[in-house]
């Protein structure tokens, strides 16, 4: 596992460089490709018998379609909406979804236990810090004694067979099946690699 992680880190920088070359400024490049295609098609209207323009149009169309596909795949991954069908260039719609997810994940206000409402960023941050410091960093008056554990009720995790199954060795086939069950368009993890890369 250590070797695999080291190799992934080594290839990560090359992939980032490759991504910058081929996928950076994708929306801008798509727009330029569209303008180039329109310019060539306008020229064809003026010179319909020019075969070189026809070949240029085929190349420009292929480039524009590929950039559109890459742009949609990028937006699709950002919004993580598996139920949205791609193919008709709904870029404004996707941008609204991205913004909607950002808004949904933003905390605009929080009310503390004393009833005070906090709405600015600093006040909200301090309210959370105060709450968790009181919850987790507060010192108890006396240490927990081993005999006190007898009074606690711990939930039963399962029967003996289920507990043994939790500790059993996992086969390579099970790991492969679990990985291939993950959708290709799932968002990348903290290492920057999505499930499609590992597949």
């Amino acid at each position: 596992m250590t070797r695999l992680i080291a190799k992934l880190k080594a290839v990560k920088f090359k992939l980032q460089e490759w991504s910058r070359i081929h996928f950076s400024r994708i929306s801008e490049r798509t727009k330029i490709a569209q303008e180039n295609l329109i310019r060539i098609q306008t020229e064809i209207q003026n010179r319909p018998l020019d075969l070189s323009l026809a070949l240029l149009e085929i190349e420009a169309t292929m480039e524009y379609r590929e950039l559109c596909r890459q742009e949609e795949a990028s937006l699709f991954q950002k919004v993580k909406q598996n139920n949205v069908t791609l193919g008709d260039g709904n870029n404004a719609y996707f941008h609204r979804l991205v913004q909607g997810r950002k808004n949904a994940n933003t905390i605009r206000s929080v009310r503390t236990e004393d009833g005070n409402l906090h709405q600015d960023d600093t006040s909200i941050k301090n309210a959370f810090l105060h709450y968790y410091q009181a919850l987790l960093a507060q010192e108890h008056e006396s240490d927990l004694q081993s005999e006190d554990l007898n009074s606690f009720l711990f939930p039963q995790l399962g029967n003996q067979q289920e507990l043994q199954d939790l500790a059993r060795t996992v086969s390579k086939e099970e790991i492969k099946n679990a990985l291939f069950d993950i959708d290709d368009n799932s968002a990348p993890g903290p290492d920057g690699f999505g499930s499609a890369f590992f597949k």
Side-chain angles (χ1 to χ4, degrees):
M1 210 50 206
T2 307
R3 277 191 225 142
L4 174 63
I5 291 168
K7 287 179 180 180
L8 287 174
K9 283 183 177 177
V11 80
K12 178 180 178 180
F13 300 107
K14 288 292 180 184
L15 286 173
Q16 285 176 333
E17 182 182 338
W18 174 76
S19 178
R20 275 194 299 273
I21 293 168
H22 296 285
F23 298 103
S24 64
R25 303 180 297 108
I26 189 73
S27 296
E28 183 184 332
R29 288 169 54 208
T30 304
K31 187 178 178 183
I32 291 170
Q34 183 185 25
E35 290 169 354
N36 184 44
L37 178 60
I38 291 169
R39 182 184 56 78
I40 292 170
Q41 288 173 338
T42 305
E43 283 290 316
I44 288 175
Q45 296 297 321
N46 298 328
R47 295 182 291 166
L49 300 177
D50 193 333
L51 292 178
S52 62
L53 282 175
L55 293 174
L56 283 174
E57 183 190 23
I58 292 170
E59 290 176 8
T61 303
M62 289 172 60
E63 181 186 5
Y64 176 61
R65 282 184 180 166
E66 177 60 21
L67 286 169
C68 284
R69 188 192 65 76
Q70 291 175 12
E71 183 183 25
E72 285 184 337
S74 172
L75 290 166
F76 183 67
Q77 192 172 45
K78 283 181 186 175
V79 297
K80 296 189 288 186
Q81 292 284 329
N82 294 330
N83 58 340
V84 176
T85 303
L86 294 176
D88 56 351
N90 286 331
N91 293 345
Y93 174 67
F94 280 105
H95 284 296
R96 285 197 300 273
L97 282 176
V98 172
Q99 188 61 40
R101 286 181 59 83
K102 182 180 176 183
N103 290 339
N105 292 330
T106 302
I107 298 173
R108 302 194 183 282
S109 64
V110 64
R111 190 178 298 279
T112 52
E113 291 176 332
D114 56 8
N116 292 330
L117 183 67
H118 303 274
Q119 293 182 314
D120 62 282
D121 291 343
T122 307
S123 180
I124 290 171
K125 182 181 77 170
N126 290 336
F128 275 103
L129 284 172
H130 177 72
Y131 175 79
Y132 282 105
Q133 282 173 349
L135 183 68
L136 302 173
Q138 184 179 4
E139 290 193 19
H140 297 283
E141 294 178 2
S142 60
D143 293 335
L144 183 67
Q145 303 298 320
S146 58
E147 55 267 15
D148 294 333
L149 292 174
N150 296 329
S151 63
F152 291 151
L153 294 174
F154 293 102
Q156 177 66 36
L157 292 175
N159 59 39
Q160 197 59 35
Q161 180 59 45
E162 290 172 337
L163 294 174
Q164 287 174 355
D165 285 344
L166 284 173
R168 73 177 172 80
T169 304
V170 182
S171 69
K172 290 181 180 179
E173 191 63 29
E174 287 176 302
I175 295 171
K176 180 181 174 185
N177 290 338
L179 179 62
F180 276 80
D181 280 344
I182 301 172
D183 188 73
D184 283 347
N185 290 317
S186 64
D191 57 2
F193 297 106
S195 57
F197 171 80
F198 290 102
K199 290 178 189 181

